[in-house]
Amino acid sequence: MSFSIRLTPEEKALAESYARLHSLSLGEAFRQALFERIEDEYDAEVAKEAYDEYVKDGRKSRPISKLWEELDL
């Protein structure tokens, strides 16, 4: 699948500079950026759901120093 996007000359220059800096083709630079963004948003949603479940279950956090004290017993 292929697609095209419209960029201003400044955006195109920036994208080409980024691609050159990382030794990527322009297409590969956009592909990597797209999938990194998708992964970041997916991770954020999974974390939010896990936190919501943690709170719903009535769990509470505590300082790590308390855990260390318990382990020293």
Side-chain angles (χ1 to χ4, degrees):
M1 179 175 127
S2 65
F3 62 92
S4 64
I5 59 173
R6 296 181 198 275
L7 301 173
T8 66
E10 294 83 11
E11 291 169 334
K12 183 179 178 189
L14 180 61
E16 288 173 336
S17 176
Y18 177 86
R20 273 194 309 276
L21 179 66
H22 294 283
S23 301
L24 300 169
S25 69
L26 192 54
E28 185 61 27
F30 277 103
R31 185 177 305 114
Q32 282 185 9
L34 171 64
F35 285 104
E36 285 175 12
R37 177 68 182 260
I38 290 170
E39 182 180 358
D40 289 348
E41 288 189 23
Y42 176 80
D43 290 345
E45 183 60 30
V46 168
K48 180 187 175 307
E49 289 174 8
Y51 178 74
D52 290 347
E53 183 177 324
Y54 176 85
V55 170
K56 184 180 122 195
D57 288 346
R59 297 180 188 161
K60 297 197 187 262
S61 63
R62 57 192 177 148
I64 192 74
S65 58
K66 296 293 183 190
L67 174 63
W68 295 128
E69 289 173 10
E70 290 175 15
L71 292 174
D72 285 339
L73 296 178

